[in-house]
Amino acid sequence: MSRWQPDTRARLEEAALALYGERGFERTTVAEIATRAGLTERTFFRHFSDKREVLFGGNGAFNALLAKGIADAPHTGAPIDAIVAAISGLETVFAERRDLARQRYAIINAHPELRERELIKLATLATTFSEALQARGVGELAASLTAETGVTILRVSFQRWVASEDPLPTIVQSVFAELKQLIAGVSSGK
């Protein structure tokens, strides 16, 4: 095996997701992932601390991207508008990875310990949202409430996005519109 090949991390992710889908998360080993990717276990561990990290690695960059989206959003609307804009901006990152996102989503939903890890990831994201909003001058309580609401919008939008072919911004706007109707006491029943 060669010492360096381009897209090593992506190859490991693709190999792991394929094996998780074929064999199940629990029955897949790091050695099998590395072999499927044409790499060594040592190379795997240079990129991921364990096989769960294939599913959850990159959270820091993801959170930073969303925080930047909030910081860059226009200061003209409500704080939730900044979060909605940041989530909608993920389309450029998500669009080319829809199939991998679908695989990841199915694997996580099939394993309680992975669902728990996903909830921890979302809790961390709520903190990121809150801090980004406070940096925009939003008070602590308002930032916290808005951040938790933003995480819900992201989670529901992502679930709909992996189940459809619609662009993420369209789904995010639909979910946000439904939320606004619910808050106003009206439900569209979708």
Side-chain angles (χ1 to χ4, degrees):
M1 293 182 206
S2 67
R3 290 183 58 144
W4 181 88
Q5 293 182 358
D7 301 324
T8 300
R9 187 177 179 93
R11 288 175 42 218
L12 287 165
E13 287 174 346
E14 289 175 21
L17 289 173
L19 285 166
Y20 297 163
E22 293 166 15
R23 306 195 53 194
F25 176 78
E26 297 93 357
R27 293 189 313 256
T28 300
T29 68
V30 168
E32 291 167 330
I33 296 167
T35 299
R36 173 75 64 99
L39 300 164
T40 65
E41 281 184 73
R42 185 175 181 173
T43 301
F44 177 93
F45 287 115
R46 279 192 207 117
H47 294 274
F48 303 101
S49 60
D50 61 34
K51 67 182 188 174
R52 287 177 311 206
E53 284 304 306
V54 173
L55 300 167
F56 297 101
N59 286 343
F62 180 72
N63 289 2
L65 180 64
L66 284 163
K68 183 175 178 352
I70 291 169
D72 293 347
H75 286 264
T76 54
I80 193 68
D81 294 324
I83 290 178
V84 168
I87 296 168
S88 294
L90 293 173
E91 176 69 15
T92 56
V93 175
F94 279 6
E96 62 192 42
R97 297 180 55 92
R98 191 182 297 246
D99 289 336
L100 291 174
R102 286 178 174 145
Q103 290 175 313
R104 178 189 178 277
Y105 182 76
I107 292 162
I108 289 171
N109 281 336
H111 299 86
E113 72 277 5
L114 296 177
R115 286 194 308 267
E116 180 180 6
R117 180 76 179 267
E118 182 77 353
L119 290 173
I120 292 167
K121 179 185 102 171
L122 292 173
T124 302
L125 182 58
T127 300
T128 298
F129 280 169
S130 181
E131 289 171 354
L133 290 172
Q134 288 178 57
R136 289 171 60 100
V138 177
E140 186 178 341
L141 178 58
S144 179
L145 288 169
T146 305
E148 294 293 340
T149 303
V151 167
T152 300
I153 291 169
L154 174 62
R155 187 177 48 78
V156 172
S157 296
F158 184 78
Q159 289 170 350
R160 290 184 173 196
W161 179 77
V162 296
S164 76
E165 295 301 322
D166 295 334
L168 183 62
T170 301
I171 294 170
V172 171
Q173 290 302 320
S174 172
V175 168
F176 185 43
E178 179 71 15
L179 177 63
K180 288 192 285 190
Q181 287 181 340
L182 288 170
I183 290 170
V186 180
S187 175
S188 67
K190 290 182 184 177

